[in-house]
Amino acid sequence: MELLKQIAEGVVGGDEKQVAQLTGQAIEQGTPPKRILDEGLIAGMNVVGRRFKEHEIFLPDVLLAARAMYAGMDLLKPLLVRDGIPSQGKVVLGTIQGDLHDIGKNLVAIMLKGAGFEIIDLGNDVSPQRFVQTAKDQGAKVIGMSALLTTTMAKMRDVVALLEQQKLAGKIRTIVGGASVSEAFAREIGADAHGFDAASAVERVKILFGEN
Amino acid sequence: MNADFACSADEVAPARQSVFGLQGITETAAVSDRVNALFADALDLYRATVDAQGLVAAITRDAFETVYEGEGRNDSPAPVADIFPHVDHLALFAVTLGPRISAEIGDRFRANDLAIASMLDSVASAAADKTADVLQHKYAESLRGHTAETPARGADRKSRLAVLRYSPGYCGWHVSGQRKLFDCLRPERIGLSLRSSFLMEPLKSISGVLIAGRKELHEFPDNYDFCSRCDTHGCRERIRTLCEDECAVEP
Protein backbone atom coordinates (compact mmCIF):
# COMPACT_ATOMS: atom_id res chain seq x y z
CA MET A 1 0.00 0.00 0.00
CA GLU A 2 1.38 3.37 -1.13
CA LEU A 3 0.42 5.22 2.05
CA LEU A 4 2.24 2.78 4.30
CA LYS A 5 5.31 3.05 2.10
CA GLN A 6 5.16 6.84 2.45
CA ILE A 7 4.94 6.48 6.24
CA ALA A 8 8.04 4.28 6.17
CA GLU A 9 9.82 6.86 4.00
CA GLY A 10 8.76 9.60 6.42
CA VAL A 11 10.34 7.65 9.28
CA VAL A 12 13.54 7.14 7.32
CA GLY A 13 13.63 10.83 6.51
CA GLY A 14 12.97 11.83 10.12
CA ASP A 15 9.93 13.86 9.08
CA GLU A 16 7.66 13.70 12.12
CA LYS A 17 4.98 15.98 10.67
CA GLN A 18 4.66 13.84 7.57
CA VAL A 19 4.56 10.63 9.59
CA ALA A 20 1.89 11.99 11.95
CA GLN A 21 -0.21 13.27 9.06
CA LEU A 22 0.05 10.08 6.99
CA THR A 23 -0.55 7.83 9.98
CA GLY A 24 -3.71 9.81 10.77
CA GLN A 25 -4.74 9.45 7.14
CA ALA A 26 -4.17 5.68 7.19
CA ILE A 27 -6.25 5.37 10.36
CA GLU A 28 -9.06 7.38 8.80
CA GLN A 29 -8.99 5.11 5.76
CA GLY A 30 -9.56 2.14 8.05
CA THR A 31 -6.14 0.52 7.69
CA PRO A 32 -5.66 -1.90 10.60
CA PRO A 33 -3.38 -0.26 13.21
CA LYS A 34 -1.14 -3.33 13.41
CA ARG A 35 -0.57 -3.10 9.67
CA ILE A 36 0.31 0.60 9.90
CA LEU A 37 2.73 -0.29 12.67
CA ASP A 38 4.38 -3.22 10.88
CA GLU A 39 4.41 -1.99 7.28
CA GLY A 40 4.81 1.71 8.01
CA LEU A 41 6.62 2.59 11.22
CA ILE A 42 8.56 -0.61 11.91
CA ALA A 43 9.38 -1.05 8.23
CA GLY A 44 10.84 2.46 8.24
CA MET A 45 12.88 1.82 11.37
CA ASN A 46 14.18 -1.42 9.86
CA VAL A 47 15.58 0.58 6.96
CA VAL A 48 17.09 3.05 9.42
CA GLY A 49 18.65 0.21 11.42
CA ARG A 50 20.16 -1.33 8.31
CA ARG A 51 21.56 1.98 7.06
CA PHE A 52 23.00 2.71 10.49
CA LYS A 53 24.65 -0.70 10.58
CA GLU A 54 26.16 -0.02 7.16
CA HIS A 55 27.42 3.38 8.38
CA GLU A 56 25.36 5.15 5.75
CA ILE A 57 23.70 7.26 8.45
CA PHE A 58 24.66 8.24 11.98
CA LEU A 59 23.23 8.41 15.47
CA PRO A 60 21.46 11.79 15.02
CA ASP A 61 19.72 10.47 11.88
CA VAL A 62 18.51 7.45 13.84
CA LEU A 63 17.22 9.68 16.63
CA LEU A 64 15.42 11.96 14.19
CA ALA A 65 13.84 8.87 12.63
CA ALA A 66 12.84 7.70 16.10
CA ARG A 67 11.13 11.02 16.79
CA ALA A 68 9.16 10.60 13.57
CA MET A 69 8.29 7.04 14.52
CA TYR A 70 7.01 8.21 17.92
CA ALA A 71 4.80 10.78 16.19
CA GLY A 72 3.04 7.90 14.45
CA MET A 73 3.13 5.65 17.51
CA ASP A 74 1.36 8.28 19.61
CA LEU A 75 -1.61 7.99 17.27
CA LEU A 76 -1.50 4.20 17.00
CA LYS A 77 -0.93 3.26 20.62
CA PRO A 78 -4.52 3.75 21.88
CA LEU A 79 -5.81 1.80 18.88
CA LEU A 80 -3.36 -1.05 19.43
CA VAL A 81 -4.41 -1.20 23.09
CA ARG A 82 -8.08 -1.14 22.04
CA ASP A 83 -7.47 -4.00 19.62
CA GLY A 84 -5.56 -5.97 22.24
CA ILE A 85 -2.43 -6.13 20.09
CA PRO A 86 0.40 -7.26 22.37
CA SER A 87 3.90 -5.85 22.12
CA GLN A 88 6.76 -8.15 21.17
CA GLY A 89 7.64 -8.20 24.87
CA LYS A 90 8.90 -6.06 27.73
CA VAL A 91 12.56 -5.22 28.17
CA VAL A 92 14.08 -3.39 31.13
CA LEU A 93 17.06 -1.32 30.02
CA GLY A 94 19.60 0.79 31.85
CA THR A 95 23.21 1.82 32.25
CA ILE A 96 24.77 -0.01 35.18
CA GLN A 97 25.38 1.57 38.57
CA GLY A 98 28.29 3.98 38.66
CA ASP A 99 28.14 4.66 34.94
CA LEU A 100 26.46 7.58 33.22
CA HIS A 101 27.30 6.81 29.60
CA ASP A 102 24.00 6.09 27.93
CA ILE A 103 24.20 6.97 24.25
CA GLY A 104 24.46 3.31 23.26
CA LYS A 105 21.73 2.29 25.65
CA ASN A 106 19.41 4.96 24.27
CA LEU A 107 20.08 3.74 20.77
CA VAL A 108 19.26 0.16 21.73
CA ALA A 109 16.03 1.39 23.36
CA ILE A 110 15.01 3.13 20.15
CA MET A 111 15.84 0.18 17.93
CA LEU A 112 13.96 -2.19 20.23
CA LYS A 113 10.93 0.13 20.25
CA GLY A 114 11.19 0.25 16.50
CA ALA A 115 11.10 -3.54 16.47
CA GLY A 116 7.88 -3.52 18.49
CA PHE A 117 9.19 -4.14 22.01
CA GLU A 118 7.97 -2.29 25.09
CA ILE A 119 10.90 -0.62 26.82
CA ILE A 120 11.19 0.31 30.47
CA ASP A 121 14.20 2.61 30.42
CA LEU A 122 15.66 3.10 33.89
CA GLY A 123 18.25 5.61 32.69
CA ASN A 124 21.80 5.57 34.00
CA ASP A 125 23.44 4.66 37.31
CA VAL A 126 20.97 1.81 37.89
CA SER A 127 21.55 -0.53 40.84
CA PRO A 128 21.35 -4.32 40.40
CA GLN A 129 18.43 -4.42 42.84
CA ARG A 130 16.48 -1.89 40.77
CA PHE A 131 17.05 -3.81 37.53
CA VAL A 132 15.74 -7.03 39.06
CA GLN A 133 12.89 -5.49 41.04
CA THR A 134 11.64 -3.53 38.02
CA ALA A 135 11.74 -6.63 35.80
CA LYS A 136 9.75 -8.54 38.42
CA ASP A 137 7.24 -5.73 38.96
CA GLN A 138 6.73 -5.11 35.26
CA GLY A 139 6.77 -8.72 34.14
CA ALA A 140 9.71 -8.08 31.82
CA LYS A 141 11.40 -11.13 30.34
CA VAL A 142 14.69 -9.45 29.50
CA ILE A 143 17.06 -7.10 31.32
CA GLY A 144 19.49 -5.16 29.13
CA MET A 145 22.52 -3.55 30.77
CA SER A 146 25.07 -1.18 29.34
CA ALA A 147 28.49 -0.01 30.60
CA LEU A 148 31.29 2.04 29.17
CA LEU A 149 33.64 2.01 32.13
CA THR A 150 35.74 -1.05 32.87
CA THR A 151 35.42 -0.13 36.54
CA THR A 152 31.62 -0.38 36.56
CA MET A 153 30.98 -3.34 34.27
CA ALA A 154 31.60 -5.75 37.16
CA LYS A 155 28.24 -4.63 38.58
CA MET A 156 26.58 -6.50 35.72
CA ARG A 157 27.70 -9.69 37.39
CA ASP A 158 25.68 -8.67 40.48
CA VAL A 159 22.49 -8.50 38.39
CA VAL A 160 23.05 -12.02 37.06
CA ALA A 161 23.85 -13.25 40.57
CA LEU A 162 20.76 -11.57 42.02
CA LEU A 163 18.56 -13.28 39.44
CA GLU A 164 20.12 -16.61 40.35
CA GLN A 165 19.64 -15.95 44.07
CA GLN A 166 15.98 -15.21 43.49
CA LYS A 167 15.63 -18.27 41.24
CA LEU A 168 14.74 -16.05 38.30
CA ALA A 169 17.61 -17.08 36.04
CA GLY A 170 16.15 -18.49 32.85
CA LYS A 171 12.84 -16.75 33.48
CA ILE A 172 14.33 -13.28 33.20
CA ARG A 173 17.16 -13.30 30.65
CA THR A 174 20.04 -10.84 30.54
CA ILE A 175 21.83 -9.10 27.71
CA VAL A 176 24.90 -6.90 28.21
CA GLY A 177 26.61 -4.39 25.98
CA GLY A 178 28.67 -1.21 25.86
CA ALA A 179 32.13 -0.20 24.76
CA SER A 180 33.94 -2.09 27.50
CA VAL A 181 31.83 -5.24 27.35
CA SER A 182 32.85 -8.21 25.23
CA GLU A 183 31.27 -11.52 24.33
CA ALA A 184 33.85 -13.22 26.56
CA PHE A 185 32.92 -10.99 29.50
CA ALA A 186 29.23 -11.75 28.94
CA ARG A 187 29.99 -15.47 29.07
CA GLU A 188 32.23 -15.04 32.10
CA ILE A 189 29.52 -13.40 34.20
CA GLY A 190 26.81 -15.77 33.01
CA ALA A 191 24.79 -13.27 30.96
CA ASP A 192 22.48 -14.84 28.39
CA ALA A 193 23.58 -12.64 25.50
CA HIS A 194 25.95 -9.90 24.38
CA GLY A 195 24.95 -7.07 22.06
CA PHE A 196 27.95 -5.98 20.03
CA ASP A 197 26.03 -3.00 18.70
CA ALA A 198 22.44 -1.75 18.66
CA ALA A 199 21.41 -3.82 15.67
CA SER A 200 22.89 -7.03 17.07
CA ALA A 201 21.29 -6.26 20.45
CA VAL A 202 17.87 -6.23 18.79
CA GLU A 203 18.58 -9.55 17.08
CA ARG A 204 19.77 -11.10 20.35
CA VAL A 205 16.73 -9.84 22.25
CA LYS A 206 14.46 -11.36 19.61
CA ILE A 207 16.28 -14.66 20.08
CA LEU A 208 15.98 -14.40 23.87
CA PHE A 209 12.23 -13.91 23.58
CA GLY A 210 12.05 -16.80 21.16
CA GLU A 211 13.79 -18.98 23.72
CA ASN A 212 11.47 -18.01 26.56
CA MET B 1 47.87 26.62 43.06
CA ASN B 2 44.56 26.79 44.89
CA ALA B 3 41.83 28.55 42.98
CA ASP B 4 38.21 28.60 41.96
CA PHE B 5 37.37 29.81 38.49
CA ALA B 6 34.50 30.32 36.10
CA CYS B 7 34.52 30.09 32.31
CA SER B 8 32.29 31.78 29.77
CA ALA B 9 30.13 29.60 27.54
CA ASP B 10 32.21 30.60 24.52
CA GLU B 11 35.53 29.84 26.22
CA VAL B 12 34.58 26.19 26.68
CA ALA B 13 32.24 25.77 23.71
CA PRO B 14 33.25 22.50 22.05
CA ALA B 15 34.49 22.15 18.50
CA ARG B 16 32.02 20.69 16.03
CA GLN B 17 34.13 17.61 15.34
CA SER B 18 34.60 16.74 19.00
CA VAL B 19 30.81 16.70 19.37
CA PHE B 20 30.26 14.81 16.12
CA GLY B 21 32.90 12.29 17.21
CA LEU B 22 30.81 11.52 20.29
CA GLN B 23 27.83 11.06 18.00
CA GLY B 24 29.78 8.50 15.99
CA ILE B 25 30.19 10.77 12.98
CA THR B 26 33.59 10.44 11.38
CA GLU B 27 35.57 13.47 10.20
CA THR B 28 35.18 12.60 6.53
CA ALA B 29 31.48 11.77 6.66
CA ALA B 30 28.97 13.81 4.70
CA VAL B 31 26.70 15.36 7.29
CA SER B 32 23.14 16.21 6.35
CA ASP B 33 21.69 19.72 6.76
CA ARG B 34 19.27 18.49 9.39
CA VAL B 35 22.11 17.12 11.53
CA ASN B 36 24.00 20.40 11.18
CA ALA B 37 20.82 22.23 12.20
CA LEU B 38 20.49 19.93 15.18
CA PHE B 39 24.04 20.76 16.23
CA ALA B 40 23.32 24.50 15.92
CA ASP B 41 20.18 24.12 18.05
CA ALA B 42 22.11 22.14 20.65
CA LEU B 43 24.79 24.85 20.81
CA ASP B 44 22.09 27.48 21.38
CA LEU B 45 20.67 25.41 24.22
CA TYR B 46 24.16 24.91 25.62
CA ARG B 47 24.81 28.67 25.65
CA ALA B 48 21.49 29.28 27.38
CA THR B 49 22.05 26.75 30.15
CA VAL B 50 25.77 26.32 30.81
CA ASP B 51 27.45 27.64 33.96
CA ALA B 52 31.02 26.35 33.79
CA GLN B 53 33.00 26.44 37.01
CA GLY B 54 35.99 24.69 38.41
CA LEU B 55 38.38 24.49 41.29
CA VAL B 56 41.90 23.22 41.76
CA ALA B 57 43.85 22.56 44.96
CA ALA B 58 47.47 21.51 45.24
CA ILE B 59 48.07 18.32 47.19
CA THR B 60 51.21 16.65 48.49
CA ARG B 61 52.30 13.24 47.31
CA ASP B 62 51.64 11.73 50.74
CA ALA B 63 48.15 13.20 50.93
CA PHE B 64 47.39 12.11 47.39
CA GLU B 65 48.51 8.57 48.17
CA THR B 66 45.65 8.37 50.67
CA VAL B 67 43.18 9.89 48.21
CA TYR B 68 44.26 7.53 45.44
CA GLU B 69 44.04 4.49 47.70
CA GLY B 70 40.33 5.30 48.07
CA GLU B 71 38.45 2.26 49.23
CA GLY B 72 41.20 -0.12 48.18
CA ARG B 73 39.47 -1.17 44.97
CA ASN B 74 41.94 0.10 42.37
CA ASP B 75 43.49 -2.20 39.80
CA SER B 76 47.14 -2.88 40.41
CA PRO B 77 49.36 -2.10 38.68
CA ALA B 78 47.81 1.07 37.22
CA PRO B 79 49.26 4.19 35.55
CA VAL B 80 48.49 6.78 38.24
CA ALA B 81 50.10 4.62 40.93
CA ASP B 82 53.16 4.25 38.72
CA ILE B 83 53.42 7.96 37.90
CA PHE B 84 52.59 10.09 40.91
CA PRO B 85 55.43 8.94 43.22
CA HIS B 86 57.88 10.41 40.71
CA VAL B 87 56.48 13.96 40.46
CA ASP B 88 56.59 17.06 42.64
CA HIS B 89 53.40 18.77 41.52
CA LEU B 90 49.95 17.32 42.05
CA ALA B 91 46.58 19.04 42.33
CA LEU B 92 43.06 17.76 42.80
CA PHE B 93 40.47 19.35 40.54
CA ALA B 94 36.79 19.39 39.72
CA VAL B 95 34.85 21.12 36.97
CA THR B 96 31.14 21.28 36.31
CA LEU B 97 28.83 22.75 33.70
CA GLY B 98 26.25 23.42 36.40
CA PRO B 99 22.81 21.92 37.02
CA ARG B 100 20.78 23.61 34.30
CA ILE B 101 22.33 21.91 31.29
CA SER B 102 22.05 18.44 32.86
CA ALA B 103 18.41 19.18 33.73
CA GLU B 104 17.74 20.31 30.17
CA ILE B 105 19.20 17.08 28.77
CA GLY B 106 17.09 15.02 31.17
CA ASP B 107 13.94 16.96 30.32
CA ARG B 108 14.49 16.48 26.60
CA PHE B 109 15.06 12.74 26.98
CA ARG B 110 11.93 12.40 29.11
CA ALA B 111 9.96 14.26 26.43
CA ASN B 112 11.25 11.72 23.86
CA ASP B 113 12.97 14.57 22.05
CA LEU B 114 15.88 12.23 21.63
CA ALA B 115 17.81 13.78 18.77
CA ILE B 116 18.32 17.16 20.43
CA ALA B 117 18.74 15.53 23.85
CA SER B 118 21.50 13.30 22.57
CA MET B 119 23.21 16.11 20.64
CA LEU B 120 23.07 18.40 23.69
CA ASP B 121 24.41 15.55 25.80
CA SER B 122 27.39 15.25 23.46
CA VAL B 123 27.89 19.03 23.38
CA ALA B 124 27.90 19.04 27.18
CA SER B 125 30.29 16.10 27.44
CA ALA B 126 32.71 17.77 25.05
CA ALA B 127 32.33 21.10 26.87
CA ALA B 128 33.03 19.46 30.23
CA ASP B 129 36.19 17.97 28.77
CA LYS B 130 37.18 21.35 27.38
CA THR B 131 36.56 22.99 30.75
CA ALA B 132 38.88 20.44 32.33
CA ASP B 133 41.40 21.16 29.58
CA VAL B 134 41.20 24.88 30.36
CA LEU B 135 41.79 24.19 34.02
CA GLN B 136 44.69 21.88 33.13
CA HIS B 137 46.18 24.68 31.08
CA LYS B 138 45.76 27.20 33.90
CA TYR B 139 47.47 24.80 36.28
CA ALA B 140 50.32 24.31 33.85
CA GLU B 141 50.66 28.08 33.50
CA SER B 142 50.78 28.46 37.27
CA LEU B 143 53.73 26.08 37.39
CA ARG B 144 55.65 27.85 34.71
CA GLY B 145 58.88 29.18 36.06
CA HIS B 146 58.90 27.51 39.44
CA THR B 147 59.15 23.82 38.79
CA ALA B 148 61.63 21.78 40.76
CA GLU B 149 62.04 19.29 37.96
CA THR B 150 64.61 21.16 35.96
CA PRO B 151 66.19 18.92 33.36
CA ALA B 152 69.86 18.86 32.60
CA ARG B 153 71.21 21.54 30.29
CA GLY B 154 70.62 20.62 26.71
CA ALA B 155 67.72 18.39 27.52
CA ASP B 156 65.55 17.85 24.49
CA ARG B 157 61.81 18.52 24.13
CA LYS B 158 61.02 15.13 25.65
CA SER B 159 62.31 16.20 29.05
CA ARG B 160 59.78 19.01 29.40
CA LEU B 161 57.42 18.91 32.34
CA ALA B 162 53.90 18.10 31.21
CA VAL B 163 50.53 18.18 32.93
CA LEU B 164 47.95 15.48 32.37
CA ARG B 165 44.72 14.79 34.23
CA TYR B 166 43.49 11.45 35.48
CA SER B 167 40.04 10.66 36.86
CA PRO B 168 38.49 7.98 39.06
CA GLY B 169 36.65 5.45 36.93
CA TYR B 170 39.35 5.33 34.29
CA CYS B 171 42.68 3.55 33.79
CA GLY B 172 42.42 1.35 36.85
CA TRP B 173 41.54 4.10 39.33
CA HIS B 174 38.30 2.77 40.74
CA VAL B 175 35.32 5.11 40.67
CA SER B 176 34.95 4.66 44.46
CA GLY B 177 38.05 6.86 44.72
CA GLN B 178 35.66 9.77 44.27
CA ARG B 179 34.76 9.67 47.97
CA LYS B 180 38.19 10.52 49.32
CA LEU B 181 38.75 12.95 46.49
CA PHE B 182 35.57 14.77 47.52
CA ASP B 183 36.53 14.62 51.22
CA CYS B 184 39.79 16.33 50.39
CA LEU B 185 38.74 18.78 47.66
CA ARG B 186 35.30 19.77 49.00
CA PRO B 187 33.80 20.69 45.62
CA GLU B 188 30.40 21.31 47.19
CA ARG B 189 31.15 25.02 46.94
CA ILE B 190 30.82 24.83 43.17
CA GLY B 191 27.61 22.86 43.52
CA LEU B 192 28.95 19.32 43.20
CA SER B 193 27.72 16.38 45.22
CA LEU B 194 28.39 12.68 45.13
CA ARG B 195 25.81 9.94 44.70
CA SER B 196 26.09 6.69 46.63
CA SER B 197 27.24 5.13 43.35
CA PHE B 198 30.10 7.70 43.25
CA LEU B 199 28.71 9.52 40.23
CA MET B 200 28.68 13.28 40.51
CA GLU B 201 25.72 15.62 40.48
CA PRO B 202 25.35 17.51 38.17
CA LEU B 203 26.29 14.73 35.79
CA LYS B 204 28.24 16.92 33.40
CA SER B 205 31.19 17.27 35.75
CA ILE B 206 34.72 15.91 35.86
CA SER B 207 37.01 15.41 38.82
CA GLY B 208 40.45 13.97 39.26
CA VAL B 209 44.09 14.81 39.72
CA LEU B 210 46.41 16.96 37.66
CA ILE B 211 49.86 15.46 37.54
CA ALA B 212 52.80 17.55 36.42
CA GLY B 213 55.80 15.46 35.57
CA ARG B 214 58.25 14.68 32.85
CA LYS B 215 56.33 13.99 29.70
CA GLU B 216 57.67 10.48 29.32
CA LEU B 217 56.21 9.55 32.70
CA HIS B 218 52.75 10.02 31.21
CA GLU B 219 53.55 7.88 28.20
CA PHE B 220 52.37 4.66 29.77
CA PRO B 221 51.64 1.60 27.63
CA ASP B 222 48.08 0.38 27.17
CA ASN B 223 48.79 -3.18 28.20
CA TYR B 224 47.64 -3.14 31.81
CA ASP B 225 45.21 -5.94 32.70
CA PHE B 226 42.19 -3.61 32.58
CA CYS B 227 43.19 -2.29 29.15
CA SER B 228 42.04 -5.56 27.58
CA ARG B 229 38.52 -4.76 28.79
CA CYS B 230 38.61 -1.21 27.43
CA ASP B 231 37.46 -0.62 23.87
CA THR B 232 38.06 3.11 23.77
CA HIS B 233 41.76 3.38 24.66
CA GLY B 234 41.12 7.12 24.95
CA CYS B 235 44.41 7.41 26.84
CA ARG B 236 46.28 7.09 23.54
CA GLU B 237 44.76 10.29 22.18
CA ARG B 238 45.34 12.17 25.44
CA ILE B 239 48.98 11.13 25.46
CA ARG B 240 49.35 12.00 21.80
CA THR B 241 47.97 15.50 22.30
CA LEU B 242 50.22 15.93 25.29
CA CYS B 243 53.12 15.93 22.88
CA GLU B 244 51.60 18.87 21.02
CA ASP B 245 49.54 20.99 23.35
CA GLU B 246 50.42 24.06 25.30
CA CYS B 247 50.32 22.31 28.63
CA ALA B 248 53.86 21.15 28.27
CA VAL B 249 55.59 23.41 30.78
CA GLU B 250 58.98 24.79 29.98
CA PRO B 251 61.24 23.98 32.91
Side-chain angles (χ1 to χ4, degrees):
Chain A
M1 189 183 186
E2 192 57 31
L3 192 55
L4 298 182
K5 200 175 162 192
Q6 286 174 0
I7 291 172
E9 285 168 1
V11 170
V12 175
D15 190 335
E16 60 179 331
K17 281 182 187 160
Q18 183 191 347
V19 170
Q21 186 204 330
L22 294 175
T23 302
Q25 211 175 311
I27 292 168
E28 275 176 23
Q29 289 178 5
T31 311
K34 181 74 166 66
R35 199 167 162 215
I36 303 172
L37 178 68
D38 289 343
E39 295 176 34
L41 303 178
I42 292 180
M45 281 308 286
N46 284 342
V47 173
V48 170
R50 184 177 47 75
R51 287 192 181 171
F52 181 68
K53 196 175 176 183
E54 301 294 325
H55 307 292
E56 291 172 16
I57 58 171
F58 302 100
L59 176 65
D61 302 293
V62 177
L63 298 177
L64 287 165
R67 188 170 66 179
M69 177 190 72
Y70 290 143
M73 281 290 274
D74 286 345
L75 299 173
L76 283 184
K77 210 165 185 178
L79 305 178
L80 291 167
V81 171
R82 181 200 66 193
D83 294 351
I85 306 290
S87 75
Q88 300 287 332
K90 278 189 191 175
V91 180
V92 171
L93 277 186
T95 302
I96 197 72
Q97 191 170 40
D99 211 323
L100 56 78
H101 301 88
D102 58 5
I103 287 180
K105 182 266 298 171
N106 291 334
L107 193 56
V108 171
I110 287 161
M111 304 292 265
L112 283 172
K113 279 184 194 172
F117 289 94
E118 186 177 340
I119 304 303
I120 300 144
D121 188 345
L122 299 179
N124 55 37
D125 193 18
V126 182
S127 69
Q129 292 78 9
R130 191 162 168 234
F131 270 117
V132 173
Q133 194 58 48
T134 305
K136 282 163 66 179
D137 292 347
Q138 299 282 336
K141 294 271 172 55
V142 170
I143 292 174
M145 297 167 268
S146 168
L148 182 129
L149 303 178
T150 57
T151 48
T152 58
M153 57 196 264
K155 282 273 176 192
M156 293 173 164
R157 190 191 302 270
D158 297 347
V159 175
V160 176
L162 202 53
L163 288 171
E164 281 170 6
Q165 270 174 28
Q166 299 189 13
K167 304 200 183 315
L168 291 167
K171 294 174 189 158
I172 299 175
R173 317 294 295 274
T174 51
I175 177 167
V176 294
S180 62
V181 178
S182 65
E183 181 89 44
F185 176 77
R187 275 199 303 272
E188 182 193 320
I189 66 168
D192 295 298
H194 168 244
F196 172 74
D197 55 22
S200 80
V202 173
E203 292 311 311
R204 296 298 176 97
V205 167
K206 283 179 182 171
I207 292 168
L208 290 178
F209 272 92
E211 288 171 353
N212 267 319
Chain B
M1 180 191 189
N2 293 288
D4 294 7
F5 75 100
C7 291
S8 71
D10 285 337
E11 191 179 358
V12 294
R16 179 177 179 272
Q17 191 46 48
S18 62
V19 176
F20 279 15
L22 292 172
Q23 293 273 299
I25 303 172
T26 54
E27 273 185 57
T28 53
V31 177
S32 64
D33 288 346
R34 60 184 185 163
V35 171
N36 280 321
L38 198 62
F39 174 60
D41 290 346
L43 270 185
D44 287 344
L45 276 173
Y46 155 80
R47 289 198 174 89
T49 54
V50 73
D51 178 18
Q53 297 181 67
L55 65 111
V56 59
I59 185 170
T60 64
R61 269 199 307 248
D62 286 348
F64 179 68
E65 189 172 7
T66 305
V67 169
Y68 179 72
E69 177 59 23
E71 302 192 346
R73 296 163 71 183
N74 296 332
D75 282 280
S76 182
V80 175
D82 290 344
I83 296 167
F84 85 83
H86 304 289
V87 304
D88 289 331
H89 301 284
L90 295 157
L92 299 180
F93 78 94
V95 298
T96 180
L97 298 189
R100 287 172 62 213
I101 194 162
S102 289
E104 184 74 30
I105 294 165
D107 289 347
R108 298 277 173 162
F109 270 121
R110 277 185 290 277
N112 264 342
D113 205 353
L114 300 172
I116 189 71
S118 175
M119 187 65 83
L120 182 59
D121 187 77
S122 293
V123 167
S125 292
D129 261 334
K130 195 164 176 184
T131 309
D133 288 345
V134 168
L135 181 141
Q136 182 174 303
H137 179 73
K138 287 177 191 283
Y139 179 64
E141 286 287 302
S142 77
L143 293 178
R144 199 180 289 275
H146 54 84
T147 171
E149 294 199 354
T150 307
R153 179 184 287 273
D156 65 15
R157 182 179 163 81
K158 278 195 168 181
S159 64
R160 281 178 163 193
L161 200 60
V163 178
L164 200 61
R165 59 188 161 88
Y166 299 84
S167 293
Y170 296 89
C171 298
W173 186 1
H174 197 270
V175 70
S176 59
Q178 289 277 41
R179 183 164 291 152
K180 282 194 175 161
L181 192 153
F182 262 62
D183 288 346
C184 194
L185 186 61
R186 291 281 163 210
E188 292 83 356
R189 66 176 183 271
I190 59 167
L192 280 176
S193 59
L194 203 58
R195 293 184 190 173
S196 60
S197 62
F198 309 113
L199 287 183
M200 287 178 283
E201 289 277 8
L203 284 175
K204 294 302 175 187
S205 306
I206 298 173
S207 63
V209 64
L210 297 162
I211 300 181
R214 285 174 290 109
K215 188 169 70 66
E216 53 266 38
L217 275 174
H218 295 294
E219 292 173 336
F220 59 87
D222 57 345
N223 59 4
Y224 289 90
D225 283 351
F226 49 84
C227 297
S228 64
R229 303 191 301 269
C230 174
D231 268 6
T232 61
H233 292 262
C235 58
R236 298 302 93 191
E237 175 63 11
R238 295 188 328 116
I239 291 169
R240 190 186 66 75
T241 56
L242 185 66
C243 302
E244 301 165 355
D245 73 18
E246 300 167 355
C247 291
V249 179
E250 294 283 4

